[in-house]
Amino acid sequence: MTTASLRKPSAPKGLMLSIHVVTWNVASAAPTVDLSDLLQLNNEDLNLDIYIIGLQEMNYGIISLLSDAAFEDPWSSFFMDMLSPLNLVKISQVRMQGLFLLVFAKYQHLPYIQIISTKSIPTGLYGYWGNKGGITICLKVYGYYVSIINCHLPPHMYNNDQRLEHFDRILESLTFEGYDVPNILDHDLILWFGDMNFRIEDFGLLFVQECITKKRYKELWEKDQLFIAKKQDRLLREFQEGPLLFPPTYKFDRHSNNYDTSEKKRKPAWTDRILWRLKRQPAKANPSGFLLTQKDYVSHMTYSISDHKPVTGTFDLEVGMRHINDYVSYVWVGDNQVSRGNNLNQVYINISAIPDTEEQFLLCYYSNNLHSIVGISQPFKIPSGFFLREDILSEPEPQL
């Protein structure tokens, strides 16, 4: 016999999660280089809990798409091979033609992460073609709604209005019927990144190149189309971005750090961006309840398999107590241990999963690695007249 006792929620107030976001237009290239620097694997000071990886312009020819449908795609396999030795598990992915979004999390966080939804929003050819648009994964992380969007917006200098229109269209398409928070704008955190294709207006090529050479990036910010749009658009203004202290990430000659030397000589631009939006909190809200702090926002110039350089952002996400249903825990102990507190195993279970009557039971799978329940059955009844003989219970398990 065992006895269950209800404890206070065990998720500590102010739990800190370290999140690493990657955005990269790979221009149909295969993962042929070491990505340790991109994933911050060489940084001994970082202990990352969650990886969010968004790629654009993956190879989406018919042969590639058919192959990926039958087997794990090369990029996904590559990232899994690098991250699984660090106890990181791929918890969700979504693909729409060349757009790809992956989320990895450490084992110990899996009981607290729920996959709410994955969606694709094509905006190419009036919404019928997925070469442009956005893909999203919505999670519930420690009781908080977190929406992740990877996008690829229309290119070219003159398409700025179209980019902003697609931005709004993607956002308007993200609703979550049947959940407590159906409107994405009410979610606690939106992480939005990708090849947004915003360009630098007015300045000529030579002036832009001179500013880059002399690292006078601030002079270019004022003419960056996204920087301008954030001043004018009320909704876009709510999205934050770290300072652009790295060179424009587009457009490079492949396999070099030289900006476009072709006949077109395209003007460099910060096309690859990472934005975030925290839900507005009341003035008297507990400031330590849910906070996101950006620790790093950089480009990675050493990677040259594409005409874009990858961009990463590293964040600290502080999560505090939200709702009892997200943190209810039970402690299962032997009868002779009820009054003692030594060597107890603590498990976590949502209170909504508890059977309504004493006649119902649950079958749970307990993981010794996670020290928690990781699988749970629907409530069921044991038929009357069903008994377990003590001699059967005491028999050793058969050797397979």
Side-chain angles (χ1 to χ4, degrees):
M1 288 289 295
T2 58
T3 302
S5 61
L6 183 64
R7 271 195 177 178
K8 297 172 89 174
S10 61
K13 183 178 180 180
L15 173 68
M16 194 70 71
L17 301 176
S18 186
I19 301 174
H20 191 62
V21 179
V22 177
T23 179
W24 192 7
N25 183 322
V26 295
S28 299
T32 57
V33 296
D34 180 14
L35 300 181
S36 297
D37 180 58
L38 183 71
L39 300 176
Q40 294 289 288
L41 302 185
N42 300 323
N43 189 340
E44 297 180 356
D45 296 329
L46 278 180
N47 183 20
L48 294 164
D49 299 284
I50 297 174
Y51 280 88
I52 298 170
I53 301 168
L55 305 179
Q56 306 87 39
E57 287 195 23
M58 277 181 57
N59 185 355
Y60 60 93
I62 185 64
I63 296 178
S64 175
L65 288 176
L66 290 173
S67 175
D68 293 348
F71 308 100
E72 199 75 47
D73 67 273
W75 280 101
S76 180
S77 296
F78 194 85
F79 285 121
M80 284 193 293
D81 289 343
M82 297 196 71
L83 296 176
S84 60
L86 303 176
N87 295 326
L88 285 143
V89 180
K90 185 178 74 174
I91 62 172
S92 187
Q93 73 174 50
V94 59
R95 180 172 183 178
M96 181 180 71
Q97 293 183 214
L99 275 172
F100 195 40
L101 179 58
L102 293 151
V103 179
F104 291 80
K106 281 198 170 173
Y107 282 117
Q108 62 263 35
H109 302 299
L110 299 186
Y112 304 98
I113 299 177
Q114 179 184 357
I115 311 297
I116 299 297
S117 175
T118 61
K119 289 189 176 184
S120 301
I121 304 97
T123 59
L125 288 178
Y126 305 98
Y128 292 100
W129 189 241
N131 65 322
K132 295 294 184 290
I135 52 178
T136 181
I137 295 174
C138 178
L139 309 171
K140 203 172 183 182
V141 181
Y142 284 89
Y144 294 86
Y145 282 91
V146 177
S147 284
I148 303 162
I149 304 171
N150 174 25
C151 75
H152 194 182
L153 302 182
H156 307 307
M157 178 76 72
Y158 54 81
N159 273 334
N160 191 42
D161 289 342
Q162 192 179 20
R163 278 188 282 278
L164 296 174
E165 178 191 341
H166 285 205
F167 190 96
D168 291 339
R169 193 189 309 174
I170 292 170
L171 203 58
E172 291 168 359
S173 300
L174 292 175
T175 57
F176 305 89
E177 301 299 332
Y179 292 96
D180 298 337
V181 188
N183 190 332
I184 190 173
L185 293 178
D186 291 325
H187 289 190
D188 299 285
L189 172 63
I190 301 173
L191 283 166
W192 194 327
F193 51 86
D195 181 358
M196 299 187 179
N197 259 320
F198 290 105
R199 307 304 171 99
I200 298 173
E201 293 184 346
D202 297 342
F203 295 142
L205 174 61
L206 293 179
F207 180 78
V208 171
Q209 290 177 333
E210 180 184 0
C211 288
I212 295 171
T213 300
K214 297 182 179 180
K215 298 184 179 181
R216 302 202 314 259
Y217 304 132
K218 193 172 182 179
E219 294 183 42
L220 303 178
W221 294 352
E222 297 178 0
K223 296 299 181 180
D224 171 73
Q225 289 176 333
L226 179 56
F227 185 81
I228 295 171
K230 281 172 59 64
K231 291 182 178 180
Q232 301 170 350
D233 186 280
R234 179 191 61 80
L235 182 56
L236 192 55
R237 192 182 307 134
E238 295 180 6
F239 284 85
Q240 301 181 58
E241 182 182 19
L244 298 170
L245 301 177
F246 49 87
T249 53
Y250 173 86
K251 173 182 175 38
F252 289 85
D253 294 335
R254 289 202 190 202
H255 309 294
S256 80
N257 284 335
N258 300 320
Y259 286 102
D260 187 15
T261 59
S262 70
E263 292 183 3
K264 293 184 178 180
K265 288 187 170 54
R266 295 176 182 85
K267 189 164 58 173
W270 285 288
T271 57
D272 311 280
R273 314 288 277 268
I274 299 174
L275 311 178
W276 74 92
R277 177 187 182 271
L278 282 171
K279 179 183 175 182
R280 291 181 177 176
Q281 299 291 338
K284 296 182 180 181
N286 186 346
S288 63
F290 189 79
L291 293 174
L292 185 76
T293 304
Q294 188 172 54
K295 309 297 290 185
D296 206 9
Y297 189 33
V298 297
S299 64
H300 297 261
M301 297 292 290
T302 56
Y303 297 106
S304 57
I305 60 175
S306 166
D307 55 354
H308 290 251
K309 300 298 182 183
V311 172
T312 63
T314 307
F315 300 86
D316 281 343
L317 177 63
E318 184 178 356
V319 293
M321 186 64 184
R322 173 114 182 181
H323 193 287
I324 188 65
N325 286 354
D326 298 311
Y327 302 97
V328 167
S329 63
Y330 287 82
V331 177
W332 300 89
V333 298
D335 285 342
N336 61 346
Q337 293 179 309
V338 172
S339 60
R340 303 174 187 174
N342 55 333
N343 299 322
L344 302 185
N345 291 327
Q346 181 168 290
V347 299
Y348 303 90
I349 185 171
N350 193 306
I351 196 171
S352 63
I354 302 299
D356 297 326
T357 67
E358 294 181 359
E359 292 80 17
Q360 291 182 314
F361 296 84
L362 298 174
L363 181 63
C364 301
Y365 178 79
Y366 180 81
S367 167
N368 287 322
N369 291 332
L370 296 177
H371 303 295
S372 178
I373 289 176
V374 295
I376 187 169
S377 74
Q378 295 295 320
F380 62 91
K381 291 184 177 181
I382 296 179
S384 59
F386 183 87
F387 298 97
L388 293 176
R389 299 203 325 262
E390 185 177 352
D391 60 330
I392 294 177
L393 293 176
S394 62
E395 288 180 357
E397 294 182 2
Q399 299 297 318
L400 299 179

